[in-house]
């Protein structure tokens, strides 16, 4: 079984599903003591997010949460084609939220103002979006971890997240596992004792997961090919140029 394949994803999913209850962010409260949440931050490819969403719906009958960036350099969330795809993901029953990419000045006023701006644009395009955002690269920008708005909640609030070193030694805390740059940042989800840890947020980057499952190098080279096909189609549609 290849790593980062849908087959592995399915195996991880059922390991968690057979031990814990699959909940969405808004279903978790301070009394919840048996759950796992599925989160997907989309960095490069809405097409791959779509494929994973479809796999979850058709093969796992699971509802997860996809977070998309508005200010991304690899995809345009607001193109007609991409809005359509994201709306399809919502129709499948998944949650869709903002993956907050912030590169402005590091003061509270600027950050909150930018978050409010992005929130407004996000909701004006996706009326059924969820009231949650996930900050992009919060380990690099620690101030993003504590960011929160009254009606727009951070996926790193205490209910959903505790730094790994603390959570692994304290089962009362929500354990947070994430794949980062094609490896599991802390431990592999299979290595968690789910009799002990009963509150978990699992973060998978859809850019890393494919039907077959590839190593880092092959995954990125395929991703480039996929992007190239889309660009070629766009070029053709706009100019009739083909080569
Ligand atoms: Zn990110």
């Amino acid at each position: 079984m290849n790593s980062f394949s849908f087959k592995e994803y399915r195996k991880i999913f059922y390991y968690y599903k057979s031990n814990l209850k699959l909940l969405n962010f808004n279903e978790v409260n301070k009394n919840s003591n048996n759950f796992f949440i599925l989160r997907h931050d989309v960095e490069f490819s809405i097409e791959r997010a779509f494929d994973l969403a479809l796999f979850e719906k058709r093969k796992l009958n699971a509802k997860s949460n996809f977070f998309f960036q508005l200010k991304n350099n690899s995809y345009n969330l607001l193109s007609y084609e991409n809005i359509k795809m994201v709306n399809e993901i919502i129709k499948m029953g998944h949650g869709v939220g903002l993956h907050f990419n912030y590169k402005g000045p590091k003061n509270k006023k600027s950050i909150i103002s930018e978050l409010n701006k992005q929130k407004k644009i996000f909701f004006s395009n996706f009326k059924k979006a969820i009231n949650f955002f996930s900050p992009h690269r919060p380990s690099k920008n620690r101030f993003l971890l504590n960011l929160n708005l009254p009606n727009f909640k951070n996926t790193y609030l205490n209910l959903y997240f505790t730094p790994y070193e603390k959570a692994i030694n304290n089962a009362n805390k929500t354990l947070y596992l994430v794949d980062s740059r094609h490896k599991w940042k802390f431990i592999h989800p299979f290595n968690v004792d789910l009799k002990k840890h009963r509150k978990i947020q699992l973060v998978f980057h859809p850019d890393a997961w494919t039907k077959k499952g590839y190593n880092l190098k092959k995954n990125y080279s395929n991703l480039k090919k996929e992007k190239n096909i889309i660009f070629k189609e766009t070029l053709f549609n706009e100019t009739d140029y083909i080569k």
Side-chain angles (χ1 to χ4, degrees):
M1 184 176 62
N2 287 347
S3 294
F4 294 96
S5 62
F6 284 0
K7 205 170 172 185
E8 188 194 31
Y9 188 93
R10 181 206 297 261
K11 214 174 160 192
I12 294 169
F13 175 79
Y14 280 117
Y15 175 51
Y16 281 73
K17 179 84 178 148
S18 59
N19 284 283
L20 305 168
K21 217 169 149 182
L22 177 64
L23 292 186
N24 276 320
F25 284 99
N26 59 10
E27 293 172 316
V28 173
N29 60 49
K30 60 180 185 347
N31 299 317
S32 308
N33 53 19
N34 167 10
F35 67 86
F36 72 110
I37 309 170
L38 292 174
R39 181 181 120 204
H40 305 302
D41 289 351
V42 182
E43 319 289 8
F44 305 116
S45 170
I46 296 183
E47 293 74 22
R48 285 202 176 179
F50 183 88
D51 289 347
L52 184 61
L54 204 58
F55 176 76
E56 288 176 322
K57 167 149 175 82
R58 289 195 180 155
K59 306 287 181 187
L60 309 177
N61 194 24
K63 287 176 182 173
S64 69
N65 300 279
F66 290 82
F67 291 83
F68 295 95
Q69 293 185 25
L70 264 177
K71 297 198 172 177
N72 182 285
N73 212 21
S74 301
Y75 62 76
N76 171 13
L77 183 64
L78 302 184
S79 75
Y80 287 103
E81 293 77 3
N82 287 340
I83 285 182
K84 206 171 152 194
M85 245 191 302
V86 172
N87 279 329
E88 286 293 321
I89 292 175
I90 294 174
K91 263 192 224 155
M92 289 177 207
H94 301 298
V96 160
L98 172 69
H99 190 33
F100 182 51
N101 183 3
Y102 181 78
K103 288 179 179 165
K106 294 181 183 181
N107 66 70
K108 217 175 165 186
K109 206 178 155 202
S110 306
I111 300 160
I112 288 184
S113 152
E114 176 64 21
L115 182 61
N116 271 314
K117 268 189 219 162
Q118 292 198 21
K119 180 191 172 198
K120 208 172 160 194
I121 299 168
F122 200 81
F123 276 94
S124 70
N125 284 281
F126 305 105
K127 306 245 171 339
K128 291 184 177 165
I130 57 172
N131 282 315
F132 285 85
F133 69 94
S134 72
H136 176 56
R137 307 192 80 174
S139 54
K140 250 190 136 192
N141 304 300
R142 308 292 300 181
F143 57 91
L144 291 172
L145 283 178
N146 302 316
L147 190 61
N148 203 42
L149 295 177
N151 293 314
F152 203 39
K153 290 190 202 164
N154 194 329
T155 54
Y156 289 91
L157 287 175
N158 284 339
L159 267 181
Y160 320 109
F161 167 83
T162 301
Y164 177 77
E165 293 72 21
K166 274 189 196 168
I168 200 69
N169 294 312
N170 183 349
N172 291 322
K173 304 285 184 192
T174 303
L175 187 65
Y176 171 86
L177 299 179
V178 57
D179 65 349
S180 176
R181 299 180 186 190
H182 228 68
K183 52 180 186 232
W184 287 93
K185 195 169 177 184
F186 307 110
I187 50 171
H188 194 286
F190 286 144
N191 296 330
V192 177
D193 177 358
L194 296 181
K195 297 282 175 256
K196 187 177 159 203
H197 294 279
R198 312 285 293 165
K199 307 198 286 187
I200 306 210
Q201 180 180 171
L202 281 175
V203 179
F204 300 81
H205 287 90
D207 308 290
W209 294 82
T210 51
K211 194 168 180 225
K212 281 189 178 169
Y214 302 111
N215 63 26
L216 178 137
K217 212 175 151 191
K218 183 88 182 146
N219 185 58
Y220 287 155
S221 75
N222 281 353
L223 197 52
K224 284 193 275 184
K225 278 183 203 156
E226 290 163 26
K227 286 276 168 190
N228 204 17
I229 292 168
I230 298 164
F231 182 64
K232 274 186 187 165
E233 278 170 6
T234 307
L235 204 54
F236 178 69
N237 289 337
E238 299 289 338
T239 68
D240 294 339
Y241 174 80
I242 191 159
K243 195 162 186 189

